[in-house]
Amino acid sequence: MSANNLLTPESLAQIDRELAKYPADQRRSAIMGALRIAQTEKRHLTNELIEYVADYVRIPPVAAYEVASFYNMYDMKPVGKYKLTVCTNLPCALSGGYQAADYLKQKLGIDIGETTADGKFTLKEGECMGACGYAPVMLVNNHTMCNHMTPEALDKKLAELE
Amino acid sequence: MTVYVKGVVFEGVDFDDPNSWKLDAYVKRGGYAALKKIIENKITQDEIIAEMKASSLRGRGGAGFPTGLKWSFMPRSFPGQKYLVCNTDEGEPGTFKDLDIMVNNPHALIEGMIIGGYAMGITVGYNYIHGEVFEAYERFEEALEEARAAGFLGDKILGSDFCFQLHGHHGYGAYICGEETALLESLEGKKGQPRFKPPFPASYGLYGKPTTINNTETFASVPYIIREGGQKFLELGKPNNGGTKLFSVSGHVNRPGNYEVPLGLPFSELLEMCGGMRDGKKLKAVIPGGSSAPVLPADIMMQCTMDYDSIAKAGSMLGSGAVIVMDESVCMVKALERLSYFYHEESCGQCTPCREGTGWLYRVVHRIEHGLGRPEDLDLLLSVGGNIAGRTICALGDAAVMPVQGMLKHFRAEFEHHIQHKSCLVPGF
């Protein structure tokens, strides 16, 4: 069994709300939400954390690990305080998606998949986020969509992220 | 940007008012009137399904299957639990209409699902929401709370015996989950790998129970159809292509955004609404129905009307209504390279032809783009594509092949130029 209290009571209450959405004999359905909540609190999913969440949802750890490794928004390696995911799929590329990614690379001095030395920013290239009309788009820490990411807009956004 | 021209999903929505999505505003513009009408007049399930059939509404997620017919497949007399599922896993490159529905008019979707539940004798529903749009998921959860508090959702709806519970389920980044059976697997807390069909979800769906799955825009169109009648909806569009539709226009236009317009609108008019081509450049090509749809050159596209039949006749598909507009500066090899990378990245890995074949497609297009192409590569692409299409469990295999076939059909000369001269004909993006 995993150690207790890996997550705060607030996070556990959120997981309970996820569990309540599904039939009592289908607790497994809540694993995606539970892993998201755990990751939001801890920034990335360690094996220990995945096991803890699996125990809480009452499914085998391997079933939780399978989900964590299949869906690409789960981070199984450490990421910076702010994970910046830039979409470069075709609709974004037509409106400056690659320029946005290149600008960030140059400004942060890192390549795609890397984290700045101070641990503040991680840069990722993403697939379609379903917001192509607002291209180029960038996602901050999986949950905040930023539209029209021109170099000026990126400067402004980076300055906001402390 | 969202532009309402004429339609059923965004009618009366004030996009400048941050509260326009809320229950009060929705009710003021006629929202939940359809549900009240059903409950008060004790309209039967058969009558609702007949109205849906009369509307000729076709699934707005991509496949275009008639919604009324799909609803009639549901074994209503099945004694056990049945489920209603909304597919808001909007990940097809170019598509962003469902995001706008969730943000600007979530109650239309909720009311549509409640009516669907009533018509098919279903008491529990889930809305599976694309991972990258967390804010839309939060908005939906808030709207659900409003609907429950007002008695439109939950136990004994509007004082009747009808009960319907609805929940949001947030995805976490997998294109494949837009495929309905992958979505069901994901909703069950598993990897999103598609199931064999048959059995179809209507007999073996979520948790093995009969399940109906529709797209967000499809459900959001239901309240209008019940309130105003199927015939009126049909007349908004054209025969066999009933109603209005949201088109997500992206790429090289002056005003990208969602445009709600009648089906059958000439493409040239849609392009005009978008402010025409950016920087006054010339239109080169359009992908008319999301990244999986075969590309069409400008001259063919300018002859098309925006509906299922016209686009199909031109050799492509209306799909989800995602219109990717490309001007003369776009290198088609580079465009295809990016799309092929996407399908390779997103293949779930279950079927060998797709898992391996999408890698082949990407690597071959990549080497052509980077000046390493060989004369036999174009035939190789078609041969690999032929070994993927129709040989996989789900349609993602075909989806990866259609862009390749479309590009080679209409822009083969550009690929040949790349192979011979090791360079682009145009600057690219």
Side-chain angles (χ1 to χ4, degrees):
Chain A
M1 285 294 283
S2 310
N4 286 326
N5 304 328
L6 268 186
L7 293 173
T8 61
E10 291 75 27
S11 291
L12 294 178
Q14 281 185 45
I15 295 177
D16 289 341
R17 279 202 289 279
E18 291 296 316
L19 283 163
K21 292 177 178 177
Y22 309 98
D25 60 346
Q26 301 290 351
R27 292 173 63 93
R28 184 175 181 174
S29 281
I31 190 61
M32 287 187 73
L35 288 170
R36 161 178 47 87
I37 292 159
Q39 177 171 296
T40 303
E41 186 189 321
K42 300 287 187 190
R43 274 198 237 158
H44 82 281
L45 299 171
T46 58
N47 283 352
E48 188 192 17
L49 185 56
I50 292 171
E51 203 173 309
Y52 173 79
V53 173
D55 279 350
Y56 194 84
V57 177
R58 288 187 228 144
I59 62 172
V62 65
Y65 188 89
E66 184 178 83
V67 166
S69 58
F70 184 83
Y71 298 91
N72 63 32
M73 288 168 68
Y74 294 114
D75 292 308
M76 298 178 71
K77 290 191 180 129
V79 291
K81 185 175 177 191
Y82 298 107
K83 183 175 78 161
L84 310 176
T85 313
V86 182
C87 177
T88 58
N89 206 307
L90 182 61
C92 271
L94 295 173
S95 295
Y98 280 111
Q99 285 83 338
D102 288 344
Y103 186 77
L104 284 171
K105 280 188 214 169
Q106 175 231 323
K107 179 147 181 164
L108 300 174
I110 52 174
D111 211 337
I112 300 286
E114 294 178 351
T115 301
T116 52
D118 61 1
K120 194 168 168 189
F121 294 108
T122 296
L123 189 56
K124 298 249 180 184
E125 192 174 13
E127 288 303 342
C128 189
M129 297 167 186
C132 323
Y134 312 101
V137 293
M138 175 175 86
L139 210 51
V140 178
N141 286 346
N142 289 338
H143 293 172
T144 308
M145 183 85 75
C146 307
N147 300 333
H148 304 300
M149 287 288 107
T150 57
E152 302 77 58
L154 284 168
D155 281 341
K156 196 162 161 256
K157 183 45 76 182
L158 291 182
E160 280 169 29
L161 300 174
E162 275 315 312
Chain B
M1 190 177 75
T2 315
V3 178
Y4 169 82
V5 179
K6 184 181 182 184
V8 304
V9 173
F10 285 136
E11 194 177 21
V13 174
D14 180 355
F15 297 101
D16 296 323
D17 176 3
N19 293 318
S20 189
W21 66 271
K22 291 193 168 176
L23 183 86
D24 291 353
Y26 180 67
V27 168
K28 258 184 216 149
R29 56 179 178 260
Y32 289 109
L35 180 63
K36 282 183 196 155
K37 178 176 155 182
I38 289 170
I39 303 284
E40 281 166 17
N41 301 340
K42 297 195 166 48
I43 294 177
T44 66
Q45 296 175 329
D46 287 328
E47 283 172 312
I48 294 172
I49 290 173
E51 210 61 66
M52 292 303 294
K53 283 184 177 168
S55 75
S56 165
L57 172 66
R58 291 168 64 169
R60 300 304 197 218
F65 193 81
T67 306
L69 191 59
K70 188 185 259 189
W71 285 17
S72 72
F73 291 156
M74 191 62 166
R76 276 179 276 155
S77 53
F78 180 82
Q81 187 66 56
K82 301 184 282 288
Y83 293 100
L84 189 64
V85 174
C86 178
N87 184 347
T88 310
D89 193 24
E90 184 177 48
E92 173 86 359
T95 316
F96 50 98
K97 65 191 178 67
D98 299 336
L99 166 64
D100 264 8
I101 295 173
M102 300 280 285
V103 170
N104 295 304
N105 207 16
H107 283 288
L109 163 64
I110 294 171
E111 187 182 4
M113 288 194 75
I114 298 169
I115 293 169
Y118 180 96
M120 289 175 276
I122 302 171
T123 58
V124 181
Y126 293 97
N127 182 18
Y128 188 105
I129 298 160
H130 190 48
E132 284 82 350
V133 294
F134 187 69
E135 286 137 326
Y137 167 72
E138 287 183 309
R139 168 70 47 96
F140 182 72
E141 294 279 282
E142 239 182 294
L144 284 179
E145 282 306 319
E146 283 190 321
R148 286 183 193 121
F152 293 124
L153 184 64
D155 293 328
K156 298 199 174 297
I157 291 172
L158 296 171
S160 71
D161 288 335
F162 171 54
C163 306
F164 186 72
Q165 314 295 335
L166 181 56
H167 305 285
H169 181 103
H170 188 230
Y172 228 54
Y175 169 68
I176 190 67
C177 292
E179 197 281 338
E180 61 180 11
T181 59
L183 183 152
L184 293 176
E185 288 287 301
S186 184
L187 197 44
E188 292 180 3
K190 302 171 191 162
K191 290 186 290 187
Q193 290 191 321
R195 302 173 180 171
F196 270 111
K197 289 192 280 196
F200 290 92
S203 52
Y204 190 92
L206 182 63
Y207 310 129
K209 305 293 183 193
T211 301
T212 296
I213 306 161
N214 286 122
N215 166 259
T216 318
E217 187 186 354
T218 308
F219 278 123
S221 304
V222 171
Y224 179 95
I225 293 169
I226 299 305
R227 206 173 62 233
E228 307 289 337
Q231 185 61 28
K232 198 167 164 190
F233 178 85
L234 171 62
E235 285 163 6
L236 288 172
K238 61 188 247 191
N240 197 36
N241 297 267
T244 53
K245 169 97 190 76
L246 277 162
F247 289 105
S248 304
V249 187
S250 64
H252 291 142
V253 293
N254 275 315
R255 289 193 296 273
N258 284 309
Y259 291 77
E260 186 169 27
V261 298
L263 279 170
L265 181 84
F267 169 73
S268 56
E269 284 183 35
L270 180 64
L271 187 58
E272 245 171 69
M273 284 176 196
C274 301
M277 298 299 293
R278 201 196 297 163
D279 301 329
K281 287 200 174 132
K282 218 173 125 206
L283 177 68
K284 178 173 185 175
V286 176
I287 300 176
S291 63
S292 311
V295 67
L296 293 175
D299 55 333
I300 294 180
M301 198 62 210
M302 290 303 274
Q303 305 301 317
C304 285
T305 56
M306 298 307 292
D307 55 81
Y308 298 94
D309 296 343
S310 171
I311 302 286
K313 206 174 147 205
S316 188
M317 57 187 197
L318 192 70
S320 55
V323 183
I324 306 172
V325 178
M326 295 180 275
D327 72 21
E328 55 195 329
S329 73
V330 176
C331 166
M332 298 316 253
V333 183
K334 193 165 183 179
L336 181 62
E337 182 200 16
R338 187 59 187 88
L339 290 180
S340 294
Y341 176 79
F342 169 73
Y343 289 105
H344 172 49
E345 169 73 23
E346 295 295 331
S347 173
C348 79
Q350 186 174 207
C351 309
T352 309
C354 173
R355 183 185 66 238
E356 302 302 320
T358 52
W360 273 79
L361 292 179
Y362 168 64
R363 286 189 298 273
V364 173
V365 179
H366 178 81
R367 78 179 178 214
I368 298 173
E369 167 63 16
H370 290 82
L372 300 166
R374 304 161 195 169
E376 64 272 21
D377 276 353
L378 301 186
D379 289 336
L380 178 62
L381 282 174
L382 293 174
S383 156
V384 172
N387 281 300
I388 301 173
R391 293 166 197 262
T392 55
I393 289 174
C394 85
L396 190 137
D398 295 46
V401 174
M402 283 186 289
V404 176
Q405 292 169 334
M407 286 288 189
L408 289 181
K409 181 174 169 194
H410 295 293
F411 296 97
R412 193 178 176 105
E414 213 169 300
F415 285 76
E416 285 167 351
H417 178 96
H418 254 273
I419 292 169
Q420 280 162 17
H421 302 279
K422 322 281 180 209
S423 67
C424 294
L425 266 170
V426 289
F429 43 78

